[in-house]
C-alpha cells in the first residue's frame, strides 16, 4: 500500500484529468489500492470552488470510469478533492498551493508526500517545475514525484533541454515520464511471456526469427485534436514513444531482475543498438502518409504536410538481432483499431513432404495482441486429414479476458499506483527518452524538407509506399488479427 | 487412386471384419477412394452363401460404420462381396479361393491384384501364408500384399519366427504389419507438427525437454476379450506396439523425406537407442497392476497374474535425448479413456520476478492429445493483472475437430487405402517389430517369474507403484487433459 499523499494535478480542467486521472484515482481508492488518506488537489486557471470542482469531476468519473461511482464511494472520495485556481507563471499560485497543501497535510496525514502531475500543455512544464522549486514546495518533509505526460520534447534537442530544466528542481529518480502503453497489462505480459517461460527465449533471436512487425493502428481520424496533432504528427505522437517502447520490450535481453534499473537499463541497450538511418536511406526505409480529408479537419492547417501515418524499418544491431528487420507502423483513420506485435519465424529448413514446396508452407507467427481482445496466438502447420500429406495453417489461441476476466485495471490506474509506490519500472528514464529521439531524429530531419506526404483513403492500411517497406525484402505486412 | 484389386479376408466371420474392415472398405468405396472394381472375398470356416455373407456384412456396416449405408451405395458394394468357406489348413480351401479369384478377375478387371488380410487368430498366420504360397495363388499376374494384424508374435523369438515364416512366401515389401494407432490422423499430425513448423524442432531435445509422458488409458475393463487378453496382458497388447510407436514418433530424428523407407529407418534408429533394462533395474523402473475384479471377468483365469496396467520408464540413449526420461503407461479400467503425449519442458533458468520462486512457476507443457478431443495445447505462464508480478499458468489451445471437422476417416480406412496404394509408411517393418520386442523383452522376462501384480481400483490411474516411477525422479504423472 502506498504512503498517504496529495496528488497535485496541473491542468485540472483539461481533458486528461477528466477522462483518465480522476477516474483512475477514484478506482484506486475504491479498490483499496490507494490509502483512504489520499487527497487530490487540482489546479488550473479557471475559477472553481472545491465543491464546483468536485461536481465537475463527478460528472467526469460517471462518464469515463470503468466502474460507476455510488453515493458512498463517491462521497468519501469527493471529501478529499481540493482545488486552487491560478496562473501557472505566477508566484501567487504556488503560494496558494503551499497554503492549501499544508492545510491538507494537517487534516489528512499526508505527511508532505506529493505526486506532482503535469497534465498541462508541454509548454508550461518548465514554468511549473521551476515554480514548485522556487516556492519551497519541496520542503514539505515528505517524498516528491513528478509525473510528466508525453510528448516529452519534440525532437532530441528539446527533450534534452526539458530533461535539463526538470533536473534543476527534481532528481532523475523523482521524475516519472509516463507512456500509458506501458501501463497496459498485456504490454507487461510481454515480459512475463518471454521470461517466465523456458520455451520462447531459445527461439527469440536472429537464428529463428525472420522479422518482427509492430502495428499501432487507430480507426478514427484526429477528431477534436486537430490543432495539437497538426503540430505533432504520427512519428512524434506514437512512433517515438509507443512503437519504440514495444520494440524495446520485444527485443531486450533478459534483465537481471524485475526492477526499474534492470529493466530500463536493458531497454536503453536495445535503443542504443537500433541503427540510425543516414538521410540517404530514409527515403526507402520509411513511409509516411496523410489520410484524405485530414486537411479539412478542424484545427488543421489547410496546407498541412503533417503525417498521419508512418512506417519505418529498423534493425537492432546486436548479436541477438543482427539482420532481422523490425517493421513498425502507426496511423490514424486506418482499417481497424488494433495494436499488435507479430513475430514471424523463419521457414522450415527442409521439407519432407514432397507434394508441398517449402514456399507454400506458411511460417510460424506468434502474435501478441495488445488491444483489443488482448491475447496471444500462434499459427502453425497441421496435417489436413487424408492420404496425402497436406499442411494447413491453423491457430493456437489464448484469450486474456477469458482467463483473467474483463475488469483489469486501466493503464492509468496501474501507473498512478506505481508512482505512489515509487516504482518507476514502467516509466521512461531520461536516457531512454533521449535514445528514442535519437532513433527517430534522422527521419524527422529528412521529412522536414519534404512536401505533403502521399495520401491514403481512410479505412485502409496506409499509403502504397508502406507496402514497399517489407515488400522490397520479399515480405508483406500481415493483416492484424481482428 | 489404387489399382482395382480383391481384398481377401481370412477370418471373415470374426469381430474385426465386422467392426472395422467391412465398414472401412465400404466407406473407401463410397468416398471414391477405392475404385468401383474393388472386390472383397471373405473366407472362414462357417458355411455361407455370398448372399448370406452380404446380409451379415450389411448388418455389421449398419452398426459400425461412421456413415450409414443407403440402398444405392450398399447395393453396388454388396454386388462385389464374395464368400468362400473352408478350413484354413486344407488345400481344398486355397483351390476354392483360387477358382473364385480367377472368376472375380475375369468379371471385375481386378487383374490378379490381391490384398491378403490376416484377420484370424495369430496361430493361423503360418498356415495361411504357406497355403497362399503353395497353392500358386501368387501367380495371378498382379501385385500381392499381406496385411498382418497384431499381436505380431508374443516375444522376440516368436516375432522373429513369424517374420521368417512369412518371408518364405512374401518378401518384406509385400508385408504390411498393421498398428491401427498409426492410421489415426492425429498420430500422423505429430510428424507434421514437428517437421512442418520451424519453432518446435529447436527445443525438441535434452537441452530444453525435462521429460516426456505417454499415456494410453482405457476406461473399460477387458469386456468380452477376457480369454485372449489374459494370454496377452497390457505390455504385449499396448506397450510393445502403440506406446513404443508413439515414443518413436516423438523422439525420431527428422527423416529425409515422407516415405516408408525414410520414416521407418528413423523409427528403427530410435528403438535401437532405447535402453534395454537389465533385470536388476526392472523392479524399480517398471510398474504393473491388475484391476480389482479382473480375475472374475469372463474367460479370465481366476488365478491370473496377467497385468492390466503397465508403466515403464525408458531412456533414449542418443545425442538428442540422453538423460531425458520417457514415462510410458497404459491400462484398462482407468479413470478415463484418453491417449496423449505430454512434453514437459525444463524450468526457466533464472527468474526475474523476486516474489515468485522458480519452483512455483509451472514449466511449459506441450500436450498432443491423440484421443478423444484431438488437439494440441501449450501451457505457459501469463501475468496476473495487478501491480505485483504474479504468474499464472494458462493454456493456448488448438482443437483438431473445430478446424478440420468431425468426419475424418477411421484409422482402418486410411490404412487399407495405403495398403491398396502400396504405401507402407504407416505399417511396421520387420526390424521395427523385432526392436520393439527387444525393448520390452527384459520386462517380460522379469515379470514371468513374479506372482500377481498389485491391484488397483477400477476408475483410478493404476497402482501406487506407478506413481513411484516419476516420483523417484521428483516428478509426477500429470492428469491427462479431458
Amino acid at each position: 500500500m502506498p504512503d498517504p499523499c496529495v496528488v497535485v494535478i496541473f491542468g485540472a480542467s483539461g481533458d486528461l484529468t477528466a477522462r483518465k486521472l480522476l477516474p483512475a484515482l477514484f478506482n484506486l481508492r475504491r479498490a483499496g489500492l490507494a490509502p483512504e488518506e489520499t487527497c487530490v488537489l487540482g489546479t488550473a486557471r479557471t475559477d472553481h470552488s472545491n465543491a464546483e470542482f468536485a461536481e465537475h469531476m463527478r460528472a467526469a468519473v460517471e462518464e469515463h470510469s470503468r466502474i460507476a461511482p455510488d453515493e458512498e464511494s463517491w462521497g468519501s472520495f469527493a471529501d478529499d478533492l481540493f482545488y486552487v485556481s491560478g496562473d501557472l507563471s505566477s508566484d501567487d499560485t504556488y503560494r496558494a498551493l503551499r497554503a492549501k497543501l499544508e492545510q491538507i497535510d494537517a487534516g489528512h496525514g499526508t505527511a508532505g508526500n506529493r505526486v506532482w502531475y503535469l497534465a498541462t500543455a508541454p509548454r508550461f512544464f518548465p514554468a511549473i517545475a521551476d515554480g514548485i522549486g522556487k516556492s519551497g514546495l519541496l520542503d514539505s518533509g515528505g517524498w516528491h514525484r513528478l509525473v510528466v505526460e508525453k510528448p516529452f520534447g519534440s525532437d532530441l534537442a528539446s527533450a534534452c533541454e526539458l530533461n535539463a530544466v526538470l533536473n534543476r528542481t527534481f532528481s532523475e529518480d523523482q521524475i516519472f515520464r509516463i507512456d500509458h502503453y506501458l501501463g497496459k497489462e498485456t504490454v507487461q505480459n510481454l515480459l512475463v511471456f518471454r521470461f517466465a517461460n523456458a520455451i520462447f527465449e531459445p527461439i527469440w533471436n536472429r537464428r529463428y526469427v525472420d522479422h518482427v512487425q509492430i502495428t499501432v493502428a487507430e480507426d478514427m481520424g484526429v477528431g477534436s485534436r486537430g490543432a495539437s496533432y497538426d503540430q505533432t504528427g504520427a512519428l512524434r505522437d506514437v512512433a517515438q514513444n509507443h512503437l519504440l517502447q514495444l520494440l524495446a520490450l520485444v527485443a531486450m535481453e533478459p534483465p537481471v531482475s524485475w526492477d526499474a534499473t534492470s529493466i530500463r537499463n536493458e531497454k536503453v541497450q536495445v535503443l542504443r543498438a537500433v541503427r540510425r538511418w543516414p538521410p540517404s536511406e530514409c527515403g526507402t526505409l520509411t513511409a509516411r502518409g496523410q489520410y484524405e480529408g485530414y486537411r479539412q479537419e478542424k484545427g488543421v492547417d489547410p496546407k498541412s504536410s503533417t503525417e498521419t501515418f508512418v512506417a519505418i524499418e529498423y534493425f537492432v544491431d546486436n548479436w541477438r538481432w543482427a539482420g532481422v528487420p523490425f517493421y513498425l507502423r502507426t496511423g490514424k483513420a486506418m482499417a481497424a483499431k488494433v495494436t499488435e506485435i507479430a513475430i514471424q519465424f523463419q521457414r522450415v529448413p527442409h521439407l519432407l513432404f514432397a507434394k508441398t514446396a517449402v514456399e507454400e508452407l506458411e511460417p510460424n507467427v506468434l502474435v501478441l495482441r495488445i488491444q483489443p481482445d488482448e491475447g496471444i496466438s500462434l499459427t502453425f502447420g497441421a496435417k489436413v486429414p487424408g492420404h496425402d500429406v497436406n499442411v494447413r495453417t491453423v491457430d493456437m489461441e489464448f484469450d486474456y479476458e477469458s482467463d483473467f476476466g474483463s475488469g483489469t485495471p486501466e493503464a492509468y490506474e496501474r501507473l498512478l499506483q506505481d508512482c505512489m509506490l515509487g516504482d518507476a519500472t514502467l516509466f521512461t528514464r531520461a536516457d531512454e527518452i533521449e535514445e528514442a529521439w535519437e532513433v527517430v531524429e534522422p527521419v524527422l530531419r529528412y521529412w522536414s524538407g519534404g512536401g505533403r506526404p502521399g495520401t491514403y483513403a481512410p479505412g485502409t492500411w496506409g499509403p502504397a509506399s508502406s507496402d514497399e517497406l517489407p515488400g522490397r525484402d520479399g515480405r508483406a505486412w500481415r493483416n492484424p488479427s481482428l
Side-chain angles (χ1 to χ4, degrees), chain A residues 152-164 240 433-434 437:
Chain A
F152 196 96
S154 60
D155 54 18
L156 178 58
S158 59
C160 292
E161 195 190 319
L162 181 54
N163 276 330
Q240 184 269 345
I433 287 271
E434 293 175 10
W437 276 117

Side-chain angles (χ1 to χ4, degrees), chain A residues 165-294:
Chain A
V165 167
L166 299 181
N167 273 310
R168 289 198 298 250
T169 309
F170 294 90
S171 63
E172 175 60 26
D173 63 1
Q174 289 179 317
I175 303 174
F176 288 68
R177 294 170 197 82
I178 207 164
D179 181 335
H180 72 271
Y181 254 63
L182 297 183
K184 290 181 187 288
E185 282 292 336
T186 41
V187 171
Q188 298 156 50
N189 192 41
L190 177 49
L191 293 188
V192 172
F193 186 79
R194 287 188 58 194
F195 301 126
N197 295 288
I199 61 172
F200 302 113
E201 201 49 23
I203 54 173
W204 210 267
N205 56 58
R206 68 188 301 277
R207 194 162 161 198
Y208 301 106
V209 174
D210 182 76
H211 72 276
V212 176
Q213 297 186 7
I214 307 180
T215 300
V216 175
E218 290 181 60
D219 54 350
M220 308 291 281
V222 292
S224 61
R225 282 188 63 207
S228 70
Y229 190 89
D230 204 37
Q231 302 299 314
T232 314
L235 183 60
R236 289 187 174 93
D237 191 47
V238 177
Q240 184 269 345
N241 38 62
H242 304 331
L243 278 177
L244 285 178
Q245 286 291 327
L246 293 178
L247 179 148
L249 293 173
V250 169
M252 69 193 272
E253 296 298 317
V256 174
S257 69
W258 189 285
D259 61 50
T261 303
S262 301
I263 289 183
R264 298 194 297 184
N265 281 353
E266 297 300 343
K267 283 164 65 187
V268 168
Q269 284 301 93
V270 170
L271 291 173
R272 285 170 55 87
V274 174
R275 195 182 306 168
R276 276 63 167 156
W277 291 125
S280 59
E281 301 276 10
C282 286
T284 48
L285 294 165
T286 69
R288 59 179 188 146
Q290 190 185 76
Y291 66 82
E292 289 159 14
Y294 171 73

Side-chain angles (χ1 to χ4, degrees), chain A residues 339-360:
Chain A
T339 297
E340 68 167 41
I341 299 163
I343 291 125
Q344 179 161 329
F345 293 92
Q346 293 176 15
R347 295 180 184 282
V348 289
H350 164 73
L351 205 59
L352 38 109
F353 323 116
K355 298 218 173 81
T356 314
V358 171
E359 294 70 32
E360 288 170 38

